[in-house]
């Protein structure tokens, strides 16, 4: 159910400490950890601890939590000393979403092409 931990959700398991992750930042409502398959020198995922399946459901269901996630992306960029970085929310399989728990990718530390592929 939206907002509650889901049994088969990888990121809910990371929040619960059942699967290890390299955590770089934590707040009461958010968690940031390094992507296991980094696409840039800095590639951190920022998630709400509560389960929402994508960014739109998060924004609709918990606007303050969505703001917390965005604030955490900037905090991660500051921690990583990134002047420029990209925040990506993939939504839907066609856009590359593979984990159905809302997450922001924070990418930086190299030149980032625009438009992206
Ligand atoms: P997306 O494809 O946008 O849904 O992003 C999911 C991301 O989660 C991918 O970039 C994966 O590399 C990453 N990922 C999958 N499993 C783990 C894990 N156990 N720890 C950290 N990142 C993971
Ligand atoms: Zn989840």
């Amino acid at each position: 159910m939206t907002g509650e931990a889901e049994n088969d959700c990888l990121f809910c398991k990371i929040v619960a400490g059942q699967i290890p992750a390299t955590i770089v930042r934590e707040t009461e409502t958010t968690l940031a950890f390094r992507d296991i398959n980094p696409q840039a020198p800095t590639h951190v995922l920022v998630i709400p601890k509560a389960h929402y399946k994508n960014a739109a459901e998060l924004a609709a269901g918990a606007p303050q939590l969505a703001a917390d996630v965005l604030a955490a992306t900037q905090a991660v960029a500051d921690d990583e000393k990134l002047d420029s970085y990209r925040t990506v929310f993939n939504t839907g399989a066609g856009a590359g979403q593979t984990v159905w728990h809302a997450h922001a990718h924070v990418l930086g530390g190299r030149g980032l092409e625009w438009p992206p592929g």
Side-chain angles (χ1 to χ4, degrees):
M1 185 184 291
T2 297
E4 294 178 13
E6 291 213 336
N7 283 339
D8 282 337
C9 175
L10 176 65
F11 289 174
C12 284
K13 287 180 180 165
I14 288 177
V15 171
Q18 293 163 355
I19 289 178
T22 304
I23 292 167
V24 296
R25 175 166 262 280
E26 181 170 11
T27 69
E28 207 175 304
T29 58
T30 69
L31 196 64
F33 52 90
R34 296 201 187 278
D35 196 292
I36 206 167
N37 182 23
Q39 302 301 312
T42 290
H43 188 171
V44 170
L45 302 175
V46 179
I47 67 169
K49 288 182 176 175
H51 182 93
Y52 292 86
K53 75 176 185 189
N54 59 40
E57 291 223 346
L58 171 63
Q64 181 57 54
L65 184 52
D68 292 350
V69 168
L70 283 183
T73 65
Q74 178 65 59
V76 166
D78 289 345
D79 290 346
E80 300 278 317
K81 306 211 176 345
L82 299 175
D83 293 329
S84 301
Y85 61 96
R86 185 168 295 158
T87 303
V88 175
F89 290 90
N90 293 324
T91 299
Q97 188 176 3
T98 58
V99 178
W100 305 92
H101 180 131
H103 52 280
H105 295 257
V106 178
L107 296 150
R110 66 167 169 81
L112 295 164
E113 287 175 21
W114 190 260

